[in-house]
């Protein structure tokens, strides 16, 4: 049986250089970065588990809220607790998103509504007839993959960020010392390309690349790693991966050297997992010039939004982590004078049923609402078509509020990709189904 690249690295368990050769294809590295003139970055924040967008963005007008409250029952948030959006007064945000509301009203954050995986524009009638649908709707694993690969098939091995890197890295980063894509949330198909490979960064170990498992253990791991790096047995597996691990050590040194040369960021990030991830990304952006890159894509993640029970408390706690972390990251981009050049955006498996289940929770659904933030965002607006919140209504795929998306995840991603610098000619390669939709640019950035 063959062993793939990922398995090889997993089995090697190399912790030398702070696990520099032990995680993803280029290892878990420490982080860093700095200045360049023509620079842009995309920052994906994946809300794992399926964020209930029905309780993130709520209709606030009298009739809209009354309908919401009557259907949501125990999941309904008190109207008095919601944060009305000054720029869109018929809508309000969850009480745990005050920073997002402030930045929406400041026109640097937009909401994109009822987005989901689609092969082609789809109506309720077409869904019920089973016409041309994404694979395995309502499945966590499949829908996470389909949001990330933008091919509406969970079998695709590359992600849309990875395909962007395949097509643009040479043009945008000809002198880059690190890959275009960095994940601070582990291994993910979003980052995978055919020709390009991402780097995986471990958060919380910013300033050097050192093993932390003890002198004896670290020395042994370093020796093992170096032996593997120079080992030539004729095995194609080892020979193929020598270059990967050599690169891991090289990247670790490049990043470590870069971060030593800059003043630490003054922006204070919340002491949460997503706060640490976004801080790490900001530190990498800070030393971008030293890394020789003018385009970067980052992947972060937070969860678990799979709220089948006790939803109000569980989701509220997660949103309370997300809001200040995104706001702190935006503040850091202002500190670094790149606020107009860096765009954050959320993705998630799916939303959740509008009708609650019997455990004060909600179940897997489809169309969802997403947050886009940055100085280049045409904020203070909602994009897409907000669904008709009626059980069994025109936007319900069934009878309990699984909204049929009116905007495709591929359209959402293609809008971000074009801002990043992807050409119209490159779009079909990155987003195979984009030609099925009337527009490939939603205009929010």
């Amino acid at each position: 049986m063959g062993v793939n690249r990922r398995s090889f690295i997993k089995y090697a368990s190399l912790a030398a250089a702070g696990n520099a050769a032990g995680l993803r294809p280029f290892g878990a590295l420490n982080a860093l970065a700095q200045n360049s003139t023509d620079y842009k970055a995309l920052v994906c924040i994946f809300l794992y588990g399926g964020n209930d967008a029905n309780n993130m963005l709520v209709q606030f007008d009298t009739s809209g809220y009354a309908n919401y409250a009557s259907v949501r029952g125990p999941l309904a948030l008190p109207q008095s607790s919601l944060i009305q959006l000054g720029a869109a007064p018929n809508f309000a945000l969850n009480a745990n998103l005050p920073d997002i509301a402030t930045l929406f009203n400041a026109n640097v954050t937009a909401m994109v509504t009822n987005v989901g995986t689609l092969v082609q524009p789809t109506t309720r009638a077409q869904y019920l007839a089973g016409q041309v649908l994404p694979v395995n709707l309502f499945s966590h694993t499949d829908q996470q993959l389909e949001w990330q690969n933008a091919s509406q098939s969970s079998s695709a091995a590359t992600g849309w960020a990875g395909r962007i890197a395949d097509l643009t890295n040479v043009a945008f980063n000809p002198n880059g010392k690190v890959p275009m894509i960095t994940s601070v949330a582990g291994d993910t198909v979003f980052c995978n390309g055919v020709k390009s490979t991402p780097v995986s960064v471990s958060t919380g170990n910013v300033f050097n690349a050192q093993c932390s498992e003890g002198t004896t253990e670290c020395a042994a791991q370093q020796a093992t790693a170096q032996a593997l790096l120079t080992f030539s047995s004729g095995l194609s597996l080892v020979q193929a991966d020598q270059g990967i691990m050599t690169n891991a050590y090289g990247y670790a040194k490049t990043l470590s050297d870069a971060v030593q040369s800059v003043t630490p960021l003054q922006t204070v990030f919340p002491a949460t997992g997503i706060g640490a991830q976004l801080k790490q990304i900001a530190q990498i952006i800070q030393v971008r010039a030293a890394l020789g890159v003018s385009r970067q894509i980052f992947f972060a993640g937070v969860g678990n939004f799979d709220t089948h029970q006790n939803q109000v408390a569980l989701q509220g706690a997660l949103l309370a982590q997300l809001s200040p972390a995104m706001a702190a990251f935006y503040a850091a981009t202002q500190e670094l004078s790149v606020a107009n050049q860096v765009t954050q955006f959320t993705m998630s498996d799916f939303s959740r049923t509008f009708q609650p289940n019997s455990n004060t929770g909600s179940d897997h659904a489809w169309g969802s609402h997403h947050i886009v933030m940055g100085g280049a965002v045409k904020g203070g607006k909602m994009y897409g078509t907000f669904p008709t919140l009626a059980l069994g209504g025109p936007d319900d795929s069934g009878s309990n509020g699984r909204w049929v998306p009116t905007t495709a995840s591929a359209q959402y991603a293609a809008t971000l990709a074009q801002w990043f610098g992807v050409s119209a000619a490159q779009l079909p390669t990155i987003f195979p189904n984009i030609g099925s939709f009337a527009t490939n640019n939603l205009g929010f950035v």
Side-chain angles (χ1 to χ4, degrees), residues 15 126 136 194 264 289 295 355 429 439:
Q126 290 170 323
N136 293 333
V194 173
R295 292 292 189 279
Q355 185 177 56
T429 301
T439 180

Side-chain angles (χ1 to χ4, degrees), residues 120-139:
Q120 62 184 30
T122 301
T123 65
R124 169 182 165 86
Q126 290 170 323
Y127 169 81
L128 293 174
Q131 296 180 13
V132 196
L133 299 173
V135 174
N136 293 333
L137 284 171
F138 320 131
S139 158

Side-chain angles (χ1 to χ4, degrees), residues 22-47:
L23 256 188
R24 187 63 186 94
F26 290 120
L29 306 180
N30 296 301
L32 318 109
Q34 207 286 114
N35 295 311
S36 63
T37 51
D38 176 28
Y39 178 78
K40 286 185 178 179
L42 289 171
V43 180
C44 175
I45 303 172
F46 205 95
L47 311 181

Side-chain angles (χ1 to χ4, degrees), residues 12 19 22 65 137 167 169 178 212 216 258 264 345 347-348 357 384 389-390 402 404:
N19 289 326
Y65 180 82
L137 284 171
L167 293 177
N169 188 57
V178 296
S212 58
T216 303
F345 61 97
M347 299 197 307
S348 189
N357 61 26
L389 303 183
R402 288 186 168 103
V404 177

Side-chain angles (χ1 to χ4, degrees), residues 259-442:
V259 80
Q260 303 294 332
S261 67
V262 296
T263 302
L265 287 169
Q266 299 302 300
T267 301
V268 177
F269 284 79
T272 59
I274 188 61
Q277 290 178 47
L278 293 179
K279 179 179 180 180
Q280 194 87 99
I281 292 170
Q283 290 168 325
I284 295 173
I285 291 172
Q286 185 181 14
V287 294
R288 63 194 180 279
L291 302 179
V293 291
S294 65
R295 292 292 189 279
Q296 290 182 286
I297 302 175
F298 299 93
F299 183 89
V302 60
N304 182 358
F305 284 89
D306 193 20
T307 51
H308 288 283
Q309 57 187 2
N310 195 26
Q311 177 177 296
V312 171
L314 293 175
Q315 184 194 29
L318 288 167
L319 295 179
Q321 294 178 35
L322 180 68
S323 181
M326 291 186 72
F329 182 80
Y330 177 71
T333 65
Q334 290 180 304
E335 179 184 341
L336 296 171
S337 299
V338 292
N340 292 342
Q341 298 161 275
V342 180
T343 300
Q344 303 177 71
F345 61 97
T346 63
M347 299 197 307
S348 189
D349 320 18
F350 35 62
S351 186
R352 308 191 72 82
T353 54
F354 194 46
Q355 185 177 56
N357 61 26
S358 59
N359 296 313
T360 63
S362 57
D363 298 321
H364 302 176
W366 195 359
S368 189
H369 313 317
H370 288 283
I371 302 167
V372 186
M373 180 185 295
V377 174
K378 298 172 185 176
K381 297 179 181 179
M382 299 201 309
Y383 294 81
T385 303
F386 195 84
T388 299
L389 303 183
L391 302 185
D395 292 320
D396 193 351
S397 62
S399 59
N400 61 352
R402 288 186 168 103
W403 312 129
V404 177
T406 43
T407 295
S409 56
Q411 293 175 283
Y412 177 69
T415 303
L416 294 161
Q418 289 173 85
W419 172 81
F420 188 73
V422 169
S423 70
Q426 293 168 327
L427 286 178
T429 301
I430 300 167
F431 307 104
N433 298 318
I434 196 64
S436 299
F437 301 96
T439 180
N440 58 36
N441 196 317
L442 302 175

Side-chain angles (χ1 to χ4, degrees), residues 117 119 133-139 142-143 146 152-155:
T117 56
V119 176
L133 299 173
V135 174
N136 293 333
L137 284 171
F138 320 131
S139 158
D142 294 284
Q143 293 307 296
E146 290 173 32
Q152 313 324 317
S153 170
S154 56
S155 63

